[in-house]
Amino acid sequence: MKKKIAMYWGAGCGGCDVSLLGIHEKLLDLLDDIEIVFWPCATDFKYEDLEKMPDKSIDVAFYNGAIRTEENEKIAKLLRKKAKVLVAYGSCASEGCVIGLANLYDKKQIFNVVYLQNETTKNEDKVLPKEHTNDLELPEFLPHLKTLEQVVKVDAVIPGCPPPRPVLEEALEALLQGKTNFGKEVALCDECPRKDSKPEKIEIERFYRWHEKEDNGDCFLAQGMICMGPATLAGCQGECISANIPCTGCMGPTPKVKDQGAAMLSAIASLLGDIDEEKEEEIMNSIRDMIGTFYKYRAAKLLPEGRLKDES
Amino acid sequence: MARRIGVFVCHCGVNIAGVVDVERVAEELRKYPGVAFATTYQYMCSDPGQNLIRQKIEEENLDAVIIAACSPAMHEETFRSVCKEFFNPYRCEMANIREQCSWVHDKKEATEKAIKLVKATVEKLRGNEDLMPIFVPIEKKCLVIGGGIAGIQAALDIADAGYKVILVEKEASIGGRMAQLSETFPTLDCSQCILTPKMVAVARHPNIKLMAYSEVIDISGYVGNFDVKILKKPRYVDEDACTVCGDCEKACPVIIPNEFDMEKKPRKAIYIPFPQAVPSTYTIDREACLGLAPLTCAQCKDACEANAINYDMQPKIVEERVGAIIVATGYDLYDKNKLVEYGYGEDDDIITSLEFERMLSASGPTGGEIIKPSTGKVPKKVVFIQCAGSRDKQHMPYCSSICCMYTAKHALLYKHHVPDGEAYIFYIDIRATGKNYEEFIARVMEEERINYIRGKVAKIYREGDKIVVWGVDTLTGKKVEIKADLVVLAMAIVGRKETKEIAKLLKVAVDDGNFLKESHPKLKPVEALSRGIYFAGCAQSPKDIPAAVAQASAAASKVLAIFSKDKLEKDPLVAVVDEDRCSGCGVCVSICPYGAMQRQPNGKAKCIEALCEGCGTCAAACPSNNIEMRNYKDEQIEKMIEVIV
Ligand SMILES: Cc1cc2nc3c(=O)[nH]c(=O)nc-3n(C[C@H](O)[C@H](O)[C@H](O)COP(=O)(O)OP(=O)(O)OC[C@H]3O[C@@H](n4cnc5c(N)ncnc54)[C@H](O)[C@@H]3O)c2cc1C
Ligand code: SF4
Ligand code: SF4
Ligand code: SF4
Ligand code: SF4
Ligand code: SF4
């Protein structure tokens, strides 16, 4: 019997939906074994269709995107009810991703920037989104962005922004065989094409942003360019590195680490060599945008209630 | 896992019991799961205290013990040895309720904290594994790098104790700087006269393999088991066949300056740096020789009756395994060209202290005569400038520590040579802290009537055949201008650049002056952070001969302590890498202060247990949280934190 599959697009950029198409002919092979029962982005389904399905009738439901609105939350709960296995698909669903950085601010600050202050925004009447208007009901914009797991129980995670092809292929194969455990346990350096260029002793004297230094083809970290590879789960086979871009950490941490940013920061700080505190501070301060560098993908997971109350 | 834990709370007289309610600590612990017995005692570390532990282990059938007392740094060893009589010593833990409680908190807080700390220790102990000490085999052979007085002394000490030594010297002869000196303060012994017997002893010693004209090019391994590669440079002269007749030297047409004489005396392309050189043999300077290839000159070979010259000699790499390494690579003078204020020292009549030493030496460029280099005449007025490049933020910030003394010696020897000459010494202050040193300075000042001027020299320039020295006498506040015939700069002492290279091979640190960094500035002054590596002489810091010799003997005694055992015993509290999950990111390898984390051919990290000191640096830094410290596993630490907070 064909496996019944669902895919939903929550708060996200759409890259996850595209990534599923990105497995190309493999998707055609899959189509022999699966039946898509719900995929709003690709096929015409309505929420009522989903509501009408019997509970636990979907074999595997993929949820991509984070939970930003009341609507996202509703569908997440509905999918949970209808599916045997619920999968957090991609970084937004599993850890909040770039849009999770919004948890550093509150709703009012976000609306102000997006609808009023943005250079490219033209909004002379200063209209802000409202839940109820005369002719329209809009879902509520929740106070904080949530990951899927912060709303419902999640059975499996496919990491990545979006999940890279090799990761996805392995995950789909496993899931269709009823397995929820898959993927690597080691960090990216293990499969990085630049691994062998690592010197015996990495010592960082200053940090360079990508454009500040000519890339000599060696391990980025050893060149002083921040590469999240050492703190990031392998599986992508170094997609970004192969395109001469340091890893930014979209695959999330390795299994024994919760706080990927802290893990990388402490590793990086320890590579500064034998220098005095003042110099150390100077070097560390030369990193622009600490949070965007080390917590690009995981802020929401670590800050489910937004920034600590006493700090804001 | 420990099931019947005994808790012993120490009063430490009033040190602990005066603040912590020790009875309450024992009482609370009695109720804690896993604790079978708890009591208090006046002094746990005393003999009766130790016997109490023995007695209770037997009576109460305990299988693990916690001593709540002082810091484990003080008595862990004591209590573990007691427990070893009954069970694995790693079933004994200490909770520090003195330094961490009674000494820093008031009564109530101290007691509460003590209870928590002991409970946390119970949790840790329950997660402990039984461990066995690690044994490391030792190759009882020592490598000494550098054949100055420090290296020579260390090699002789170890060889005399009956162990093999390989002494590697990069120059054609051993002897180092001391061989260049004339007479030595404060006794004015002739430097070569007291040095050469030791050099000869090295050459003769059956336990010393002398490899001069050689360099260490690779070092791997760890204490007890270093693998080293030594490059033996070709001398093109057979050391054993050469009779040092000097016929070759006479025949050689190439004349270049001799480094040994600070380039102030000529030598040939085939040369012996100084007559008493050890090994006693000629060497062809590859760069200067005309004849090596293609064969354009063979005059030395033709002249050599002993048939010792071989132009086809090749560099040779010798591999050795040694158990310990002493680095004694010595010093250089700071580059005088960097002294802008002293005219970059470009003038012939402005010379360095070592150049002056060679001038004073009977075997030196002038045969022991003091001359004004530009004219060859006897200088009637000489200015000595101390701290040239030392104690100066623009150059080297530290005190070079020996220049006050040798400058006094220089002025004195000058007066002995030129009784009617005038000598001036510019100084910041006089540092004469060695035995009989102050007396020596006093003698120079009073008997020899040397003019000591307290102040810095602002400018030096040439005026006709004189060198004008401008300065301020800070004691009188007056400007001083001296028209001198000769100026001698007491240049700062710096570590050699070769030291930095060796340090890199050994993965030990050097400071800004290229001096090797010791493990502890007070308590471990000859030890590197990594075990089995020791320092001697000026490679570690500027020092005089007696200090260099003393340090060499200290380093030798450390090596002998290692060699006195057949196997090294080591605490097994080491780091363990989960290899399956190691990505080979290299963070731990880069930061381990002891060089214990090493990259394997497959890229993954591995802890060399013999080297690991269990410091935990790697475990904290691994971005995959992939390194666990034995008996400090994550679960243990998490449980401890849970109990405490
Ligand atoms: C002008 C002057 C006058 C002095 N007068 C006195 C005095 O009167 N009394 C006194 O007590 N002290 C005096 N000193 C100090 C004395 O010179 C030193 O204390 C002593 O020479 C230090 O010996 P050492 O073995 O540590 O170093 P060095 O003598 O520098 O020996 C180091 C040796 O290591 C070798 N080496 C270096 N690198 C390598 C390598 N990579 N591989 C192999 N070999 C290597 C070098 O070639 C050298 O032979 C004077 C110093 C100066 C500058
Ligand atoms: S740090 Fe980055 S560039 Fe270097 S090996 Fe790891 S993933 Fe590759
Ligand atoms: S062969 Fe070389 S060392 Fe011998 S005499 Fe000629 S130049 Fe001198
Ligand atoms: S020893 Fe004397 S002359 Fe040398 S740097 Fe120190 S203070 Fe200056
Ligand atoms: S820091 Fe961790 S992941 Fe990196 S090489 Fe060491 S053990 Fe492996
Ligand atoms: S615990 Fe310390 S000594 Fe041992 S491997 Fe780690 S960093 Fe090196």
Side-chain angles (χ1 to χ4, degrees), chain B residues 28-192:
Chain B
E28 286 294 320
L29 263 295
R30 253 172 238 135
K31 295 185 232 156
Y32 200 73
V35 177
F37 171 81
T39 190
T40 74
Y41 189 74
Q42 273 288 321
Y43 291 103
M44 284 310 305
C45 59
S46 65
D47 270 0
Q50 294 181 34
N51 284 334
L52 178 69
I53 302 174
R54 290 192 180 94
Q55 183 197 337
K56 290 300 169 192
I57 290 176
E58 290 196 316
E59 277 176 24
E60 302 287 334
N61 199 15
L62 304 176
D63 61 2
V65 156
I66 292 173
I67 319 291
C70 52
S71 155
M74 314 301 296
H75 274 304
E76 192 173 75
E77 191 59 45
T78 316
F79 296 123
R80 285 210 168 140
S81 328
V82 172
C83 291
K84 209 151 80 178
E85 298 164 21
F86 303 92
F87 39 70
N88 189 285
Y90 294 91
R91 294 186 183 200
C92 170
E93 288 283 348
M94 289 189 74
N96 183 351
I97 60 166
R98 192 177 73 181
E99 285 86 340
Q100 292 180 5
C101 299
S102 66
W103 281 358
V104 288
H105 297 295
D106 65 26
K107 280 188 182 191
K108 190 161 165 284
E109 277 180 331
T111 306
E112 289 309 314
K113 187 170 167 191
I115 292 168
K116 281 185 179 172
L117 284 183
V118 185
K119 284 181 179 172
T121 312
V122 172
E123 291 304 335
K124 170 172 191 305
L125 187 54
R126 280 146 65 98
N128 273 7
E129 283 168 51
D130 288 352
L131 300 177
M132 295 305 285
I134 296 166
F135 289 100
V136 189
I138 309 165
E139 183 70 43
K140 297 186 181 181
K141 195 191 270 182
C142 182
L143 171 71
V144 177
I145 308 175
I149 181 60
I152 289 174
Q153 186 63 46
L156 286 173
D157 284 356
I158 296 167
D160 284 345
Y163 298 103
K164 298 276 177 207
V165 177
I166 303 163
L167 176 59
V168 177
E169 166 59 56
K170 74 176 181 16
E171 299 296 336
S173 170
I174 56 171
R177 295 289 179 205
M178 188 174 167
Q180 294 178 293
L181 304 181
S182 55
E183 290 161 36
T184 56
F185 63 74
T187 45
L188 299 183
D189 304 276
C190 147
S191 187
Q192 288 203 339

Side-chain angles (χ1 to χ4, degrees), chain B residues 574-575 588 591-597 607 611-619 627 629:
Chain B
V574 295
C588 56
I591 62 167
C592 170
Y594 302 94
M597 273 295 177
C607 172
L611 281 178
C612 174
E613 293 286 336
C615 70
T617 308
C618 57
I627 303 176
M629 305 307 300

Side-chain angles (χ1 to χ4, degrees), chain A residues 261-303:
Chain A
M264 192 61 201
L265 259 170
S266 74
I268 269 196
S270 59
L271 291 175
L272 291 185
D274 196 5
I275 49 174
D276 60 48
E277 244 171 75
E278 212 172 289
K279 180 95 185 128
E280 205 161 274
E281 210 177 301
E282 186 192 311
I283 300 180
M284 288 310 280
N285 283 341
S286 75
I287 302 175
R288 308 250 189 117
D289 189 8
M290 280 278 181
I291 295 181
T293 305
F294 296 102
Y295 291 92
K296 190 179 225 149
Y297 301 97
R298 216 168 168 77
K301 181 158 179 114
L302 298 170
L303 298 171

Side-chain angles (χ1 to χ4, degrees), chain B residues 275-302:
Chain B
Q276 308 94 315
V278 168
S280 181
T281 176
Y282 273 81
T283 303
I284 293 183
D285 176 345
R286 195 195 154 86
E287 306 291 313
C289 169
L290 306 172
L292 280 181
L295 273 177
T296 48
C297 168
Q299 302 208 24
C300 55
K301 195 175 162 84
D302 295 343

Side-chain angles (χ1 to χ4, degrees), chain A residues 188-189 192 194-195 198 218-221 227 229-230 241 247:
Chain A
L188 177 59
C189 296
C192 173
R194 297 188 177 208
K195 181 183 179 186
K198 269 185 199 290
D218 286 353
C219 164
F220 283 113
L221 200 59
C227 178
I241 316 280
C247 170

Side-chain angles (χ1 to χ4, degrees), chain A residues 185-191 195 198-203 221 229-231 254-258 263-264 266-267 270-271 274, chain B residues 507 509 517 578 580-587 589-591 597-599 602-604 620-626 634 638:
Chain A
E185 300 199 316
V186 61
L188 177 59
C189 296
D190 184 57
E191 58 183 18
K195 181 183 179 186
K198 269 185 199 290
E200 183 63 30
K201 186 174 166 131
I202 304 174
E203 204 171 317
L221 200 59
T254 48
K256 288 196 229 165
V257 174
K258 289 192 191 91
M264 192 61 201
S266 74
S270 59
L271 291 175
D274 196 5
Chain B
K507 301 188 192 79
K517 265 196 190 162
D578 176 350
D580 291 340
R581 287 177 168 175
C582 167
S583 70
C585 73
V587 169
V589 178
S590 301
I591 62 167
M597 273 295 177
Q598 296 187 358
R599 200 196 309 262
N602 66 3
K604 298 192 187 263
C622 172
S624 293
N625 198 7
N626 231 349
D634 281 357
E638 276 162 20

Side-chain angles (χ1 to χ4, degrees), chain B residues 368-402:
Chain B
E369 290 307 311
I370 297 174
I371 59 160
K372 177 178 168 71
S374 64
T375 60
K377 289 198 197 123
V378 176
K380 292 290 179 195
K381 229 183 231 183
V382 180
V383 172
F384 296 90
I385 301 176
Q386 293 193 175
C387 300
S390 297
R391 303 177 67 186
D392 185 341
K393 286 215 174 74
Q394 307 285 326
H395 302 290
M396 298 325 245
Y398 51 83
C399 165
S400 294
S401 94
I402 53 173

